[in-house]
Every structure is written in C-alpha cells, then in structure tokens.
Amino acid sequence: MIIDCHGHYTTAPKGLQAFRDSQLAGLKDPKHVPSKGTLKITDDEIRESLENAQLKFQRERGTDLTIFSPRASGMAHHIGDATTSLHWSQHCNDLIHRVCSLYPENFVAVCQLPQSPGVPPSNCIQELERCVNELGFIGCNLNPDPSGGHWTAPPLTDKYWYPFYEKMVELDVPAMVHVSASCNSNFHTTGSHYINADTTAFMQFLTADLFKDFPALRFIIPHGGGGVPYHWGRYRGLAQDMNRPLLVDLIRNNVFFDTCVYHLPGIELLLKIVPMDNILFGSEMVGAVRGIDPETGFYFDDTKRYIDSVTWLSGGDRKKLFEGNARRVYPRLKL
Amino acid sequence: MIIDCHGHYTTAPKGLQAFRDSQLAGLKDPKHVPSKGTLKITDDEIRESLENAQLKFQRERGTDLTIFSPRASGMAHHIGDATTSLHWSQHCNDLIHRVCSLYPENFVAVCQLPQSPGVPPSNCIQELERCVNELGFIGCNLNPDPSGGHWTAPPLTDKYWYPFYEKMVELDVPAMVHVSASCNSNFHTTGSHYINADTTAFMQFLTADLFKDFPALRFIIPHGGGGVPYHWGRYRGLAQDMNRPLLVDLIRNNVFFDTCVYHLPGIELLLKIVPMDNILFGSEMVGAVRGIDPETGFYFDDTKRYIDSVTWLSGGDRKKLFEGNARRVYPRLKL
C-alpha cells in the first residue's frame, strides 16, 4: 500500500467558503452573536470535488491512501477569536469526516485545531478528543504560529504546549507541524512561511529536551523538513557546538520529514541524508504548486515519480517510505 | 585568486564588546546622553585576533581574500534607537577598515548599516557613503528585519527601501541580505533566523518587479540561499503558477547565492541547481559553526573542500565560483 501522509482538502465545495465568508462578515458586525451555523454541502458535491482532483491523481500516480486534512492555509487561526476558530475547525473537520466516510479506502482523517493567538493550546484538547474518539481521526495539524507570521506564541518546546502534548500521547496521535496563511507581508504563505516554519520547528526541537519529557511524542515536519536536509551539516555542527545529541538520535522516534520536495535533486538529497526510518511519503497534493513542470512534463507535486526514479533505494527502503513508517507514526491507521 | 565573499569579524578584540556593553548600560540610564565614545583596541590586538583565526584558516584552506564585515549577529539593530545603531555601526565599520588597512591583501571591507526598527533605510545612506567613498568599502550587509525576529519592516521589494537602493546603484555596491541576532524566542539566530531570512528574501524577490525598477541592483543571499535550492522545484512551480519569470531569468543579474552550506551533498545540490553565474564562494568563516565534522575530520565550514571534491565542475566553473562572479558582483573590488 502507498500512503501519502500529506493531503489537504484544497478543492472543497463552495459551501465551505460561503460559510467562512458569512462567519467573517459576522466578525465585522459588532451586534453579531457568533453561532456555529451550518454548512450546506451535499454528498454529490463532495464526490465531485474529489473525483477530478485528489482521486484522479491517486489513480494516475498509483497511490492508495491519503492522510487527509483541511486546507492548511484556510485554517487562518489569526482571524477572530477562539470561538471563531472552534466553529470553523469543527465544520472543516466534520467535512473531512464526511470525505473519509464516503471514500474509506482512499482517505483517512487528520484534524485542524481551534487554535487562536494568545489562547493556550489546552483549549484544543476537546476538539482533538472529539475528532479522534468519536470520528476516527488519526492525527492533527499543529500550528506553531497561530498569529499568522508574527510568531507571538512560545516555541513548541515550551511548557505552554505540554497539556496538549499529554493528550496527543494519551491518544497516540502525531501532529504535523503546519502553519497557515501568513498575514505578515514579509512572508509568502506557501513560498516562505511554510518552509520557514518547518526549519524553525526543527531548530526548536534540536535545542530543547522536549523528547526526554515526551518520549512517545511524534511530529511530522512537512515540505521535506523545510531547509533542514539541505543544511544538515550546519545542524549537525550546531548540535555538536552546543553539546546536543547527534541529529539521528534526536529525531529517531520523534521527528519525521515528508517528501514534499518538488524536484528530483531535492528528493535525492533528502533520501541520502535523512535516516530512512524518518521519512514519510507525502505529496501535498492538491496543494501549493499545481502546475506541470515543463522540464519533465509531469506535475511538480507528483513526488512518487521522483522517488521511483531513485535507483539506489532498496525494496525495504521503499516499503518503509511508502507505508511502514506511516503506520509506525500513525498507529491508529488500521486500513 | 580565491575570494571568500562571506567572512565576519567574529573574533574582534575584547575592546569592541567593552564599548558595546558600556553603550547598552547607557541605554538603561535615563540621565545618560548618548555619545559616540571611543574604542580602545591596539593594532597588535587586531593582529592577534586574526592571526590564529581567519588568517590561519585562509592559509590552511588555500583561500586568498575575504570580503569581510562586522559580526552579523552583533549588529542587533533592534537594540536602542537609530543613534545607538549609528554609533555602534561606525565603530564596527572603522574597525573593519583598520583590519583591511593592516592586511590589505587578505581582507576587503563590507559595512554594517545603522538600521533601526521603524526608521527608514534612507537613514543609512550617509554611513554607506562614508564607508564606500572615504574608506574604500565595496558592499554592505542589509538587514531585512531590523526588529530581530518580529519582521515588522516592509518587504525588501517595498518602495520603503528604494532611496537606499538608489544609492547602492549609484555607488555600484551590492548588499548581502543578512539578518542579525533574533530576540524572538521562536528563532534560533544561526539555526533558523538566518536560514528563514534567506528563504524569505528570495520569495520577496520572486513575487515583485524590484529588478525591473533597479536592473543594476545586486543582492547576495547567504547560507547557500537558505532553503531555496533544496526547494528549487517548488519555486519554479510557484513562479509558473503566478505567471512570474523563469527563476534563471529572475536572478540572472541581480540575485546571487554563496556556498555556506556545510556538507558535500548540500553543496552538490547547490552547484547542480543554481546557474554557475549566480554562485559566489563563501564560508562564513569564522562563524556559525566552529567545530570539526567527525564524519570527515575537517571543519564544517571549510566549504572550499566540498567544492574541490565535486569532480564534474569545469575549470571555467571553478574560476567563476571562486573569483569571476565575485568581481562581477563587487566591481569596486580592485585587488
């Protein structure tokens, strides 16, 4: 089985944005009383939104199962308050649950969290429990910067996050470290904010003892680990200068990179540098880059094709990369 | 000649820090009237600070000339105000000038700018002119985030920066895009803030028409271009989705990457991906990573060694990388 650990519902029916637009309009009206409201989307609309996108690409590219979550840039935790974020997250998560119920062999669910700037992450425990215990979700996306590019929250290694981590460990679910849209004009959302957040999270993990406190806590750093594999020597050297553990020991059971790197030389570097036990196949499909690479004639985000062309990978390596590691990181995945 | 485009005076005599400590103490005293003060450092102290560090490494590694600037993390533009920053920058730059006067064959000078959060970059023109016209400096380090990790300034492509760019073009000097110490606990200075800033600057350049407005403006993005070469496919794809120019055309005469990447696979990726005309040899020596790599037995930041071991580089490529490109980007370099 080929498991893609990184897919977002970027093609959701218009009803989702209609709800969000109405929610945001309410925020501008001082007399408006926030309420959860309802989402008007039919099953047929859901089917249609997937058949010509994610499902078509699964078939064409030969992948089987996508670990699927709400659109990352749509989370926009910086908008409104914790109630705004809760209502929005619940709708987004319920919609993912409907997707996974309609296509149980193609999608398995990961949830958005109702984070909000300045609100402790413990506030997200209830929604995580609802998604995992009631709806069968197998993980969550954790935003290290709910402010959307102002980076006002404490680092991921701060005790601020610990109550949420305790719940993650108890439920045995990992988190993908994933920021959302940037509202800071310095940072392009998918071109720099995403990559920067990945690099930032890794360096936070490198400089603290988080995994001594939580040996069973697991994070996926998406987008091939941001800038980390390219600068692996820098990180090995910094760790050494600071008397920190070897990187391979630091990440062994706790930090994993996906393969969302959109050209062969980048994928080759990733596979050469990062231990094979710490890489999960992912494509971010349909996501940040939607076009076809004129140099290859194939979609930029068809990352399986790059991996398939790396001749020195053993059969055992491929098995880990495409399936085994995902099953280890997401033990609630039972398919 | 082998020109290292990225060296900082990280080993300056104690007198420099003594001045800075006294300056910072003054900031805490409401009755203190800021004055430039004096730096107490002898020529012998300067010689001693370099002989066993930068000069020793130049000899051992077989490099000739270092384009040399004040310690980047020491700039700390977020501390104090524009006057604090001016006094501090002038002392740092004067010290670099003394280094280059003592060792005119080993070092050529690049200046720190007296940036300060909220103060327009035009405020730095006078110090740039002083350094270039009076002291023979050949470039500057421009901090895209004088706030030190809060990213409160407009993007580098904003007209906010244009008056300073006009002066850079008039003087025919390039800028290395280089942030300083981070005062945001999310960002480790050399492990994430530096790399993020590089990635951020590149994406800013990609999404705007800055180089249409300034065809002769030149930037060096250090640390191997941050996360950019590793994600070259992502950037090519984003540019295509946004109807932006091809990356090779976008960067051709305006954006250059150094080779401060501390392991062979990273260097190989850089040299394979980025046009050879847009790469300048650099080591960041003595800088972010000071140790010896136990896997190779050599210093992590001995980047010349990695390049030397890339067998497929032609003689012409080496000449560009080690000398020709630097002369093109820094035309005031006359040695």
Side-chain angles (χ1 to χ4, degrees), chain A residues 72-74 76-79 143 145-151 179-194 196, chain B residues 151 200:
Chain A
S73 64
H77 295 118
H78 59 280
I79 295 177
N143 184 346
D145 172 30
S147 75
H150 295 287
W151 291 92
V179 287
S180 185
S182 158
C183 62
N184 183 325
S185 61
N186 280 284
F187 304 127
H188 183 276
T189 295
T190 53
S192 56
H193 192 40
Y194 282 16
N196 291 351
Chain B
W151 291 92
T200 299

Side-chain angles (χ1 to χ4, degrees), chain A residues 227-262:
Chain A
V228 171
Y230 176 51
H231 286 287
W232 198 249
R234 187 178 190 88
Y235 293 103
R236 285 201 295 112
L238 284 168
Q240 180 174 290
D241 285 356
M242 292 187 279
N243 289 312
R244 299 291 304 158
L246 291 176
L247 296 194
V248 290
D249 294 330
L250 180 94
I251 68 174
R252 191 179 308 278
N253 298 311
N254 306 100
V255 181
F256 303 84
F257 297 157
D258 75 14
T259 64
C260 296
V261 177
Y262 296 158

